[in-house]
Amino acid sequence: MEVFLRRAPAQPGGAPELGRVPPRSFPRADDVPAPGRTAPDRAVPDYIEYYGRVEHFSGAFAHVGERRRTGARVKSRTPGEQKVVALQEAIRRSGLKDGMTVSFHHHLRNGDKVTNLVMQTIADMGFQDIHLAASGIFACHEPLVPLIESGVITQISVNTFNPGPVARAISQGKLRKPAILRSHGGRPRAVESGEMHVDVAFIAAPTCDEMGNLNGTHGPSACGYLSYAYADAEFADTVVAVTDNLVPYPACPIEIGQNLVDYVVKVDSIGDPNGIVSGTTKITTDPVNLRIARDAARLIDQAGYIKDGMTFQTGAGGTSLAVAAEVREYMKEKGVVGAFGSGGIHSYFVKMLQEGLFRALFDVQCFDLDAIRSAAEDPRHMAMSASLYGNPHTKGCIVNNLDVMILGATEIDTDFNVNVITGSDGVILGASGGHNDCAAGAKLTIIVTNLLKGRLCVVRDRVTTITTPGETVDVLVTEYGVAVNPRRTDLLERLRDSGLPLVDIHTLRRIGEHLTGTPAPQEFTDRIIGVVEYRDGTVIDVVRQPK
Amino acid sequence: MEVFLRRAPAQPGGAPELGRVPPRSFPRADDVPAPGRTAPDRAVPDYIEYYGRVEHFSGAFAHVGERRRTGARVKSRTPGEQKVVALQEAIRRSGLKDGMTVSFHHHLRNGDKVTNLVMQTIADMGFQDIHLAASGIFACHEPLVPLIESGVITQISVNTFNPGPVARAISQGKLRKPAILRSHGGRPRAVESGEMHVDVAFIAAPTCDEMGNLNGTHGPSACGYLSYAYADAEFADTVVAVTDNLVPYPACPIEIGQNLVDYVVKVDSIGDPNGIVSGTTKITTDPVNLRIARDAARLIDQAGYIKDGMTFQTGAGGTSLAVAAEVREYMKEKGVVGAFGSGGIHSYFVKMLQEGLFRALFDVQCFDLDAIRSAAEDPRHMAMSASLYGNPHTKGCIVNNLDVMILGATEIDTDFNVNVITGSDGVILGASGGHNDCAAGAKLTIIVTNLLKGRLCVVRDRVTTITTPGETVDVLVTEYGVAVNPRRTDLLERLRDSGLPLVDIHTLRRIGEHLTGTPAPQEFTDRIIGVVEYRDGTVIDVVRQPK
């Protein structure tokens, strides 16, 4: 295996001091050539029908500076007004019209019944040409497909997309207008800036009172904090809480207050508990994945990030959890207390909080029952709005304070650009979620993945769709070696004697292609079916309909 | 004593059912003549220099409907940027200029050191013509008087004003521009609507981390929730947290998040613990006041408001607390569980929460140490923003859910208009606080006061300054009898056989004047030194400089 350092010798002067690793601010993007896979190369047009004028991506921190939030409309309520109405009545009073935007959160995940119920009611009431702004879409949302086919839903904006029937329908070109694929931080940015104006927000509420005070952590359909809904509650013209648990006034605790809610709708059930969360999240038992996790954890240690006050985020996938398990051992061994774990919270982080390995958790969604219980009971387990989580146009989002972020990838190219949106066949599989938010914020962004998935090599000459720019990705850890982004000369210096199997990412591509064969390029039509917005609102890529 | 019912016989048809007492919505103001003491009579001009065009008060719910919040400016922060700077540097970076508005909250009450420190620093830096938007001003703010005299501070907006040197300076005409006197709900309304644009908000923070996550419930200068600061944090161009307790990241719990804070300033001390809160709040022992309290509580009971789900607010004055003590006994006797107690929270409400007499508390500020401890520890003791508390331009503020509100008065006139702003000599003594917010929201608003204060009668033919319109005040309870607003025919009907000493308010005036003599009318110059905004932003009165 070619050791990367041979090709990119360490900079003179030694490694920068750890706390002083230069942040990924705009100047960094100027230091080195652009990722090379941005607008011109990718043929992102300057104007996209049903989307509008395109602001092209030009660097992870090129579009920051001063911004203005939009001014929300508020219908004043006087004493004695009632808010509890039937769903049809709430829709009628909201003034919904053809062409408007309705929004939903995805904290009920694959158990959500609210989106289907509301959209079917909207269809039954005869509305057409609705823009569905759901923070996430899951397999359970299959009933939306006929509404797409019949033109009730003509546009979708989404930031989490589990592989499933709606994503397939979009890939098949059934949606009249292109889907807008955002990140978890990009969505509230779009809502707060007014770029995505929500006419009516429907907020599934596991607990709610008659005035609209609500929370997600209590009740028979408890799903944890409702962070993705906060921006909608604040900025939508009309806010409708939909609950199956109408409690005596006042609901307690209050996540979203009555000052933001127009109507309350009582339904029999907002979600299927079996789909809302998995009972528990589980660490991988696959020996190859465990080795990847061990290498990633060792890298974190060798790079000097296992230290008091450390901050750490990982998803709930089996390999990511295995990294957390390894990091936990390092922390215990060194007697380290971290500042926080963040992101979607799972039982593993809850355990680390309880063990005193973190002082706090920042929670944007709960992945399992332990996380929901902890959110309801432990004040150190704090909610963060999606805006506080990852919106780049705030005075500092939490991802900016991340030391280490563990992420996955569907594809990664030799410039470290990552795709988590489309398969190599061009079919939509997901959306950014927090991927490009966390990559941009964290001091050390690590992609953990098998080099070979199915019969395909994850490392490509170019990714099918860019979700996350390579300038924000530091390391790729695979079963065939660890590739460090050559921009991170400081990291390469630190890892020189780590014993980790360092390789050039091009070598990984060659190994993978040697084993799987050179992939036949997928062909696409000219039709744009998805617009991929970077977290700052620029367009980093488009998804064209596969042939 | 003349019994009021002789003059105003009950309406045919009997008393309305309790839950159906008509809310005080706009139509009610049309039913009967206007309070009679509004703009024309009071000679509120259509334009006030340094204030602008006047929108005249024309009814408690005449200015509601749809409103638009302003769009806040946000300076984006990228990873690695530092926020902790010296005070002068924070002011410099904020871009403060002569003529701008700076804001402060008053949760440190008479122990606040931050306002004086920041304003003196602003003065030392050579700024002039500053608009001081402090939610409250206390005796401890005496050092501001020289800054008023020297033209550093030329305008003041305030909603709580304890009698003291700054209020006196304003009454003496020392402030170049008229003070704007708002209510607790009116202030966030003005900030959120953009009517009062805050250029730089300085937020005293009992606990804060280096990124600006902060809370008021923990730390050596803990003062309870920082509710009055929430709107400033959200809408000011620049937000500076000032703390004497910089804790390891992240502060926990977080009341105001790092996404809203630009700079963090560390100082030695933000407040004097002895002035921040009284150790405990105490019930009156004066037998006359105790009788007033007993009558008020009996009235609440007889009017049917002691019932499950009841909601109740009272201030921390000795007589108000005595009403709470009496109400507590009624609740215990009847086995009633109330929904919430609200407002400024004191040990008495904390006890009632702990005894199970309330399911929750809504806290806009803590009055004593028990309240601070409870806010820090008991999740049922919930913060409410000042906007959620009383802003009429929201989708429903908490005062709208109040059954019973106990308030004081400096003067009350025979139309039930109340003055809590100026003494009968025209000197400024206070500001509305939550007075006109709660009066407007509550189903039953009771004024408790001695008829005779010093050598003056509280009931006047006309009040010196209107804070709260009579259409929102239901009952006056004094040691000389209980006067019901004749608008409340339902209440008169219910109280007919209550045994309470019902009197006409004119009778109370006659009794008082008989005992004290007819007051000599205070004379005023033409100069307007204060503009009294009703909670909805209309001008309900002006304060002219006394001769």
Side-chain angles (χ1 to χ4, degrees), chain B residues 120-174:
Chain B
Q120 187 58 54
T121 306
I122 284 174
D124 294 344
M125 291 172 76
F127 293 104
Q128 286 276 319
D129 190 24
I130 296 297
H131 173 198
L132 172 67
S135 62
I137 292 179
F138 289 76
C140 67
H141 294 121
E142 183 157 17
L144 300 180
V145 174
L147 304 185
I148 292 171
E149 290 166 342
S150 64
V152 173
I153 298 170
T154 54
Q155 187 157 38
I156 291 177
S157 294
V158 68
N159 33 309
T160 290
F161 227 156
N162 272 30
V166 175
R168 269 198 306 277
I170 295 171
S171 292
Q172 289 160 0
K174 290 181 176 174

Side-chain angles (χ1 to χ4, degrees), chain A residues 248-323:
Chain A
Y249 186 88
C252 177
I254 294 174
E255 264 194 272
I256 293 173
Q258 64 182 58
N259 52 327
L260 300 176
V261 176
D262 292 279
Y263 304 108
V264 176
V265 172
K266 171 80 171 71
V267 296
D268 289 337
S269 167
I270 60 169
D272 172 5
N274 293 321
I276 295 174
V277 287
S278 57
T280 86
T281 38
K282 288 217 176 67
I283 294 176
T284 185
T285 52
D286 178 283
V288 173
N289 292 337
L290 284 173
R291 184 186 151 188
I292 292 171
R294 270 198 304 274
D295 281 350
R298 188 167 165 199
L299 186 151
I300 295 165
D301 177 44
Q302 293 286 318
Y305 288 100
I306 306 284
K307 61 181 195 301
D308 273 328
M310 67 176 284
T311 65
F312 183 45
Q313 180 168 335
T314 169
T319 306
S320 292
L321 286 177
V323 180

